[in-house]
Amino acid sequence: MDVMGLLPRLHLLRFPVGQAYLWRDGDDRGELTLVDAGPAGSGAPIAEAVTALGRDPRDVRRIVLTHFHEDHAGGAGEFAAFGGAEVLVHRLDAPVVRGEAPGPPPVFEDWERPLFEQAAKLLPEGDFVRPAQVTEVAGGEVLDWGGGAHVVHVPGHTHGSIALHLPEHGVLFTGDTVAASPVDGTVMPGVFNLDRPAVLAACRRLAELDADMACFGHGDPVTRGAAHALRGMAHA
């Protein structure tokens, strides 16, 4: 797993498939929030990364999942067990994260199938550790971190996909609603969706937020001028 500093209070954690983000509030000892948690088996590497940054895994107070897919939720239960972090997810994706219901499969575009097959080969086999408890959100909440993290319900990639907007800091976590091309970094709608027209509508909605930095579930973040890049993508 690679760790990359984006801001003094924000680090990107990159896995073989997908990525998560570690946010710090306040000073160097402020509480931590993890946005997504990587695939199964990521709990221990995340704990090691937190320790390498001079913190204790128990300092991570919450894990906010942008959606239920394994490359984002697979490590949540394992990491939460290290220090009891609260796991939050949208109410429509919560039954999947808890293991109470299967997740609906994506509706693939023809060109997406080879990409999905390649990505699936990099994911570990078997079930992942389920969180002991899950806190449900519905969208519209303002969570007590990041100066007020606005939960934006953006259905389309999954029914319960969310984005997280930190207006005070100009940071937007898009989950897989938006991505960046691994080839040239072009900002683009996410792939492997349940409802692509809904994703395109969600992209337009996110483009209207005044974000300077956009952090995606896949691909390099846009670290400056994100609103302009998102609007260009949404209206292409």
Side-chain angles (χ1 to χ4, degrees):
M1 184 183 72
D2 296 326
V3 180
M4 179 189 307
L6 302 177
L7 294 171
R9 63 178 70 243
L10 177 63
H11 286 78
L12 180 153
L13 312 179
R14 179 163 285 158
F15 308 98
V17 178
Q19 50 210 28
Y21 296 89
L22 185 68
W23 176 269
R24 172 180 56 79
D25 278 318
D27 60 19
D28 289 345
R29 306 311 301 174
E31 68 180 34
L32 304 175
T33 297
L34 186 65
V35 178
D36 288 327
S42 297
I46 293 172
E48 292 169 3
V50 172
T51 302
L53 292 170
R55 302 300 301 273
D56 190 298
R58 291 173 293 184
D59 295 334
V60 180
R61 301 296 179 84
R62 63 193 65 81
I63 304 166
V64 187
L65 301 177
T66 60
H67 60 292
F68 74 76
H69 284 161
E70 181 184 345
D71 55 326
H72 294 257
E78 182 184 350
F79 181 76
F82 281 97
E86 180 184 21
V87 178
L88 298 92
V89 66
H90 192 275
R91 61 179 182 80
L92 296 179
D93 279 12
V96 185
V97 172
R98 288 193 293 257
E100 298 169 353
V107 178
F108 292 110
E109 304 283 326
D110 288 343
W111 59 272
E112 293 178 336
R113 292 184 183 277
L115 298 177
F116 182 82
E117 292 170 359
Q118 292 172 15
K121 293 177 182 178
L122 299 176
L123 292 172
E125 297 181 358
D127 295 333
F128 53 81
V129 177
R130 303 288 177 177
Q133 291 184 320
V134 170
T135 299
E136 297 184 6
V137 298
E141 297 92 344
V142 180
L143 305 179
D144 188 22
W145 62 276
H150 293 240
V151 179
V152 185
H153 183 207
V154 283
H157 184 65
T158 67
H159 295 312
S161 286
I162 60 172
L164 298 157
H165 183 213
L166 313 185
E168 181 177 314
H169 300 281
V171 175
L172 175 66
F173 301 95
T174 71
D176 281 1
T177 298
V178 186
S181 167
V183 177
D184 59 8
T186 300
V187 178
M188 56 184 282
V191 296
F192 313 153
N193 304 303
L194 290 177
D195 185 338
R196 182 169 173 79
V199 166
L200 298 179
C203 288
R204 291 191 291 270
R205 183 180 179 193
L206 295 180
E208 297 306 312
L209 300 176
D210 188 18
D212 189 51
M213 175 180 289
C215 299
F216 313 124
H218 299 271
D220 291 338
V222 175
T223 58
R224 184 170 298 179
H228 177 75
L230 290 170
R231 288 169 189 151
M233 174 268 302
H235 300 293

